[in-house]
Amino acid sequence: MDKYIMALDQGTTSSRCIFFDADGRIISLAQREHRQVFPQAGWIEHDPMEIWHNQLAVAKEAMVKADACAADVLAIGITNQRETTIVWDKRTGRPVHNAIVWQCRRTSDLCDTLKAEGFDDIIKAKTGLTTDAYFSGTKLAWILENVPGAREEAARGNILFGTVDTWLVWQLTGGEVFATDYSNASRTMLFNIHTLCWDDEILERLGIPAAMLPEVLPSSHIFGNTHSDYFDGQIPIGGVAGDQQAALFGQGCFEPGMAKNTYGTGCFTLMNTGDRVVQSQNGLLTTIAWGLDDKVEYALEGSVFVAGSAVQWLRDNLGLIQTAAETETYATGVADTAGVYVVPAFVGLGAPHWNQHARGIITGLTHAARKEHIIRAALESIAYQSHDVISAMACDTGVALEQVRVDGGASANNFLMQFQADILGVPVQRPVVTESTALGAAFLAGLAVGEYKNKAEITEKIGAGRIFVPSMDEKRRQQLLAGWHEAIRQTLPNRM
């Protein structure tokens, strides 16, 4: 009988399950979207119970599609939207509040206060992160401060905190395992990436009891077994990693200097820096790539908040398209954007600018502008933002990338990938299997149960796919980048 690895991919807009065979080929896939809750401008929430029920449902659906049972599954790998914050009562298993999503800006004022105190320097030195509402720490502090009774129950040890991976592991094991992995812990703004421990000084400043926090384990590790109620037998959970680190692993970026860019709701570029902790001087984050073989490896990351969600905005808010796939047709239907730039700073700007108060604009409009130009400009904005992040990486490391590996939904857009190669001036490689996030989780789980001996064996299973070679002349590239950077300046508050 064939043996499979089940990858649970819990993302910002949907929960998915993909069954892979041992060679990394997709056998079946199931997906369900979940609601996006907007209590007020700039606030975004999810229902944790909806996420759990959807994730379990798609796992069962994908198992049926694969004509498999629990005995056919070697292991489960979990990958997840990272900084999204869930707090729940360990006695009842019920959340005390909706999940506060990574995009949510409700704690911007608290972050400004920490910066005014100079505490951001402590956070940066210990966690590798900038002080921003993006991360889990201030979201957790907000829940403790604003949910009636939460602080008291936390002090009594009755409520737990986790990112989405921890929530799923806890649910899948019937509440037996309360743990996360190094990659997710490093995104909370509470974890010291040097000592590999929750940081007491940061916890004290934010008023967070250490007892709320999960055990931190390697990314490839047997976390526990699923409860027998969920499938027709127990399945080991063998891998856990945040979505972007999982994609780095799934792309085979195992050597320092190798980098990938994932085009999802946001856009995330990671460069493997091996055992070297690189503190960015150019607006990037230092993060843990994964824990493996009793050690951790590090990465530099540039986080763009709005990428694929800009395409959703074109569809759902402006009504310019009906499907994401249409953007390629519209974009190639015009020669350029007619001078139009879209800066989708809907929730501020991430790397390398890190401005919580920036807001999006469409600039360069004339009578010549049509919807095709706006659609093309929105797509190009994804490539421009990625360019700025990758340029910052080159400055921080002294390594000029020779190639960027890409994955995620928007990597299927050939226009965008060619424009990305052109604006970067380096080739862009898209793998055969673009589900790199789920594949990375599957590979980590497979390592834990001995299906793969090492990373070299995994490398052999990753196909090269298509390579987009830059063809734009340098003068045109610089003109377009100058226009983009002027548009960025116009989004910033209190600009001169």
Side-chain angles (χ1 to χ4, degrees), residues 293-460:
D293 298 330
D294 298 321
K295 66 177 183 178
V296 299
E297 295 180 41
Y298 296 90
L300 270 180
E301 175 172 335
S303 307
V304 171
F305 294 154
V306 176
S309 54
V311 176
Q312 284 183 311
W313 169 72
L314 292 175
R315 182 192 67 191
D316 300 339
N317 294 56
L318 300 188
L320 297 183
I321 56 173
Q322 291 186 326
T323 67
E326 292 176 5
T327 58
E328 184 170 351
T329 301
Y330 283 120
T332 55
V334 288
D336 52 36
T337 67
V340 174
Y341 287 89
V342 172
V343 183
F346 305 144
V347 289
L349 287 171
H353 310 285
W354 291 109
N355 192 303
Q356 301 184 104
H357 306 291
R359 288 297 177 262
I361 62 167
I362 303 175
T363 186
L365 292 171
T366 67
H367 283 298
R370 306 197 310 269
K371 80 172 189 176
E372 292 88 345
H373 297 115
I374 294 173
I375 292 167
R376 178 166 173 149
L379 279 185
E380 289 186 358
S381 76
I382 300 171
Y384 286 129
Q385 291 177 97
S386 298
H387 166 275
D388 291 350
V389 166
I390 291 168
S391 293
M393 280 184 177
C395 291
D396 278 334
T397 63
V399 176
L401 292 182
E402 296 179 2
Q403 182 191 76
V404 177
R405 300 185 179 189
V406 297
D407 55 71
S411 69
N413 188 307
N414 291 329
F415 164 78
L416 175 58
M417 292 302 97
Q418 183 59 53
F419 188 78
Q420 185 71 86
D422 287 340
I423 213 67
L424 286 174
V426 299
V428 165
Q429 177 178 310
R430 184 172 65 197
V432 174
V433 176
T434 58
E435 298 287 356
S436 300
T437 300
L439 186 58
F443 284 149
L444 287 165
L447 276 172
V449 296
E451 178 62 26
Y452 310 114
K453 295 183 181 66
N454 49 43
K455 291 184 285 189
E457 186 175 338
I458 290 171
T459 299
E460 295 175 0

Side-chain angles (χ1 to χ4, degrees), residues 15 74 94 189 220 280 299 324 381 463:
S15 298
L74 293 165
R94 302 295 303 183
M189 214 171 76
S220 181
S280 176
S381 76

